[in-house]
Amino acid sequence: MNLKRFLVSAFAVASLLTAAAVQVDSTFTIEGSKGALAARLQLPDLKSGEKCPMVILCHGFGGNMGGPLFDTIASDLLKDGIGVVRFDFNGHGASDGSFQDMTVPNEIEDAKKVVSWTDKQPFTASVSLLGHSQGGVVASMTAGELGAGKIKAVVLMAPAAVLRDDALRGNTMGAMYDPWNVPEYVQLFGGLKLGSGYIETARDLPIYQVASRYTGPMLVIHGTADRVVPYSYGERYGIEMPDARVELIQGDDHGFSKSLVSSSALAAGWLSEHLNK
């Protein structure tokens, strides 16, 4: 990680917070499992010393912190007085690391680092997680490992718990391989290389077992026409989790392209209900 870059950007965030009733939108870095994680902080209007609930957004496989879904959710949350931290996982977007070295376990470590950073900030009243696709798996397992004492609420959007079964079948994102004789990497779309470590850890990943340790409130949103992750994987969270509500969006796909506004409003509204009590 570039320490100078981190110190300068962290100082800039702190400086912005000294003003009265200011809305913050700042980019910076957080040390992750494989180096610096590119991050973005968005805060509603806060007076000096005022705190707000914070939601960390976890993107999916091959994605990044941007895009219409997270932009819309962040906008809705900010209107409700809730702050947002976005970041790129290792090997994604502007973060350090190689995609080939990315695994779900080291993404969980990334998420924990971001939780730790957020929890320590003077403006943080509570920390919650929202994850889409593989980011949903990461969010659920991170919440399971950290517990309800650390994570106040969780939203999973099309959580990709199918990734374990994909690895066992030897078919990830359409790329075929022998799951028990894994090559150094598997070639994916867009020139991405899926490393053997990803497949080997995914085969035995205890997704629901770890997630079920989380005893706080959880909302799962899943489209019934999702062809990347069948909605039954989202429904299972409702069976395994102590306090999970499952909302199925009829006819929508993996990216919620048909219900972007309403699905985002559902996620943000549920979080506002639980965080602004």
Side-chain angles (χ1 to χ4, degrees), residues 3 31 72 125 133 143 162 167 169 172 181 198 213 225 239 272-273:
L3 181 60
E31 181 71 3
T72 307
S133 194
V162 69
R169 283 192 296 264
T172 298
N181 292 284
Y198 179 95
R213 298 177 197 164
I239 298 170
S272 181
E273 176 188 342

Side-chain angles (χ1 to χ4, degrees), residues 120-206:
K120 293 174 183 176
Q121 301 311 305
F123 49 76
T124 299
S126 64
V127 178
S128 298
L129 297 172
L130 182 150
H132 173 244
S133 194
Q134 181 166 293
V137 171
V138 172
S140 70
M141 295 182 72
T142 300
E145 291 189 11
L146 295 179
K150 183 70 70 173
I151 306 299
K152 188 164 184 179
V154 178
V155 174
L156 310 180
M157 303 190 74
V162 69
L163 66 86
R164 182 175 186 270
D165 289 341
D166 286 347
L168 288 168
R169 283 192 296 264
N171 184 346
T172 298
M173 297 293 181
M176 308 291 289
Y177 51 86
D178 179 350
W180 304 109
N181 292 284
V182 183
E184 180 182 354
Y185 65 85
V186 175
Q187 193 70 51
L188 297 181
F189 56 88
L192 294 176
K193 295 178 179 179
L194 186 69
S196 59
Y198 179 95
I199 297 165
E200 290 165 354
T201 54
R203 285 187 322 222
D204 302 314
L205 200 63

Side-chain angles (χ1 to χ4, degrees), residues 93-104:
S95 288
D96 287 347
S98 165
F99 185 86
Q100 188 173 330
D101 296 328
M102 176 273 300
T103 66
V104 173

